[in-house]
Amino acid sequence: MPIVKNFFIGLSNNPFLNKTAKEIGPMLGANKVVAGNTIEALLNTIERLNSKGITVTVDCLGEFVVTEGEAIQSKDQILEVMYAIYNNSLDGHMSIKLSQLGSEFDLDLAYRNLREILLKANEFNNMHINIDTEKYDSLFDITQVLDRLKGEFKNVGTVIQGYLYEADTLVEKYPELRLRMVKGAYKESDTIAYQTKEDIDENYIRLIEKRLLNAKNVTSIATHDDKVITHIKQFIKDNNIEKNQYEFQMLYGFRTDLAEKIAGEGNNFCIYVPYGDDWFSYFMRRLAERPQNLNLMFKELMKPEVMKKAGVVTGIVAAFGAASALVYRLFKK
């Protein structure tokens, strides 16, 4: 469904919709996919997941960082969350986008900010810091910064997007790093990425198998796809992959029952937990991956109590929701 995917990716980059959604996020049911916008709410979420044998990786949401002051503010928020996790003896680590730290206008600033975070992470039980991938245009910057840091720090890793042709090279390049394996959420050209679900799935599974057989660190298998999960479980069993060499990973608020089931089977499991007000771009990218998730927000939006509280602003977003639902229905297979 390339047209639907492009539609939601476009919405994720709309500053007006991001600003509007930030103002009424809680009323739209954003708390179903984002762990609140206060430290207390975040800690409650982490504690609840930890009690079920699930660790977390926290993403302090932030889009459109365009000044040094905003980049430093993002860094400080990340440090605040890290301190809270450590101080409360919770099981969690951080997932960070370089763009939050200023990479789109000053790559060296982003490097300095990330290095400061890693230095503090070393004080917090060597907390893992993951560099999340973004659009393909940022991949060179990510690997450049990662290559500068990996010699100094052992608690840094990144994400491999399975739909990229370059993914093979990256898996081979970083066997000693903790890597998260994903299919990929952005719309990329056929000159750099596989386009069909069949090709993406095939390459994704092949890369995970390759990584599990050759890695010297943890492989995070990040997917909600039942077929992929079932296949990889059997591959792990058939090849006697040790438990400490892998974990399954899912997004907060999505397929909760399945996540708890997999964790309950004795597998290492991690939930990707977004935190903060800037939830709209994050959620639109999740819709680009799986447009069926639109129902989660739209059902909340149409509740009478929500409409009453949010008034005109909700009407605007309701119109967006209706249009989104229409696009999905028109182009779904």
Side-chain angles (χ1 to χ4, degrees):
M1 282 181 288
I3 296 178
V4 177
K5 184 170 185 175
N6 292 348
F7 177 73
F8 288 122
I9 291 293
L11 290 175
S12 76
N13 294 321
N14 187 296
F16 170 74
L17 288 176
N18 271 273
K19 181 176 183 297
T20 302
K22 183 187 293 188
E23 294 172 358
I24 60 173
M27 289 181 287
L28 290 178
N31 59 344
K32 284 183 168 53
V33 295
V34 176
N37 56 7
T38 67
I39 289 291
E40 182 181 7
L42 174 62
L43 294 179
N44 287 339
T45 296
I46 298 174
E47 186 174 7
R48 175 171 53 81
L49 291 170
N50 284 176
S51 71
K52 298 177 180 181
I54 296 173
T55 187
V56 305
T57 182
V58 179
D59 173 12
C60 292
L61 297 172
E63 304 286 339
F64 309 112
V65 172
V66 295
T67 69
E68 181 175 352
E70 290 173 339
I72 292 173
Q73 185 178 11
S74 292
K75 176 203 68 180
D76 289 343
Q77 183 189 40
I78 291 164
L79 291 173
E80 179 186 25
V81 170
M82 290 168 58
Y83 178 80
I85 291 172
Y86 173 77
N87 198 43
N88 287 274
S89 301
L90 297 173
D91 190 356
H93 63 272
M94 303 301 298
S95 287
I96 297 168
K97 289 182 173 60
L98 279 188
S99 61
Q100 290 177 276
L101 303 179
S103 65
E104 293 195 351
F105 59 91
D106 187 340
L107 186 59
D108 194 58
L109 170 66
Y111 166 79
R112 296 195 305 271
N113 282 334
L114 182 55
R115 187 173 183 276
E116 182 178 339
I117 289 168
L118 283 161
L119 286 170
K120 184 59 67 174
N122 282 348
E123 299 176 20
F124 295 160
N125 290 333
N126 207 33
M127 182 184 293
H128 182 65
I129 303 298
N130 194 79
I131 305 173
D132 280 0
T133 45
E134 303 181 65
K135 57 186 181 296
Y136 180 78
D137 290 346
S138 67
L139 181 60
F140 178 77
D141 288 346
I142 291 169
T143 55
Q144 185 178 14
V145 168
L146 182 61
D147 290 344
R148 290 179 70 183
L149 292 168
K150 68 184 179 71
E152 182 179 4
F153 300 97
K154 303 303 180 186
N155 57 328
V156 63
T158 192
V159 179
I160 303 298
Q161 296 169 298
Y163 64 180
L164 295 180
Y165 302 146
E166 289 184 41
D168 250 312
T169 302
L170 295 172
V171 167
E172 293 173 358
K173 183 179 181 181
Y174 299 120
E176 78 284 7
L177 298 184
R178 181 172 177 172
L179 296 181
R180 180 192 305 146
M181 309 294 292
V182 304
K183 291 186 184 182
Y186 296 86
K187 173 61 181 174
E188 302 291 2
S189 163
D190 60 5
T191 61
I192 59 175
Y194 294 102
Q195 300 295 303
T196 69
K197 182 181 187 305
E198 293 74 18
D199 287 343
I200 293 170
D201 285 357
E202 181 181 352
N203 200 52
Y204 181 58
I205 290 172
R206 184 183 61 80
L207 288 169
I208 293 172
E209 292 177 349
K210 179 178 181 177
R211 166 75 184 183
L212 287 172
L213 291 175
N214 298 287
K216 300 175 182 178
N217 207 327
V218 174
T219 300
S220 298
I221 304 153
T223 182
H224 302 96
D225 190 321
D226 295 277
K227 291 182 180 179
V228 173
I229 292 169
T230 299
H231 178 93
I232 296 301
K233 279 184 181 179
Q234 189 61 48
F235 182 84
I236 287 169
K237 181 178 180 181
D238 292 344
N239 290 274
N240 298 313
I241 306 296
E242 294 184 9
K243 182 179 176 180
N244 64 358
Q245 289 299 106
Y246 72 92
E247 68 177 11
F248 289 98
Q249 192 172 123
M250 290 185 183
L251 301 171
Y252 178 69
F254 296 90
R255 308 210 68 184
T256 304
D257 291 345
L258 178 59
E260 293 180 3
K261 177 179 181 292
I262 295 172
E265 292 171 346
N267 298 289
N268 291 323
F269 204 96
C270 181
I271 294 287
Y272 186 97
V273 177
Y275 160 74
D277 290 324
D278 287 329
W279 65 277
F280 184 80
S281 289
Y282 165 80
F283 192 49
M284 288 304 103
R285 285 193 288 272
R286 301 294 76 77
L287 291 179
E289 294 171 330
R290 184 177 171 82
Q292 296 95 319
N293 292 329
L294 177 65
N295 291 331
L296 181 68
M297 184 177 72
F298 195 60
K299 287 179 181 178
E300 288 292 325
L301 182 67
M302 303 308 340
K303 289 180 178 178
E305 63 269 27
V306 174
M307 296 292 290
K308 183 178 179 180
K309 285 182 181 179
V312 175
V313 179
T314 296
I316 295 172
V317 184
F320 140 75
S324 302
L326 178 60
V327 169
Y328 168 59
R329 291 186 184 118
L330 284 174
F331 294 102
K332 72 177 181 179
K333 292 182 179 178

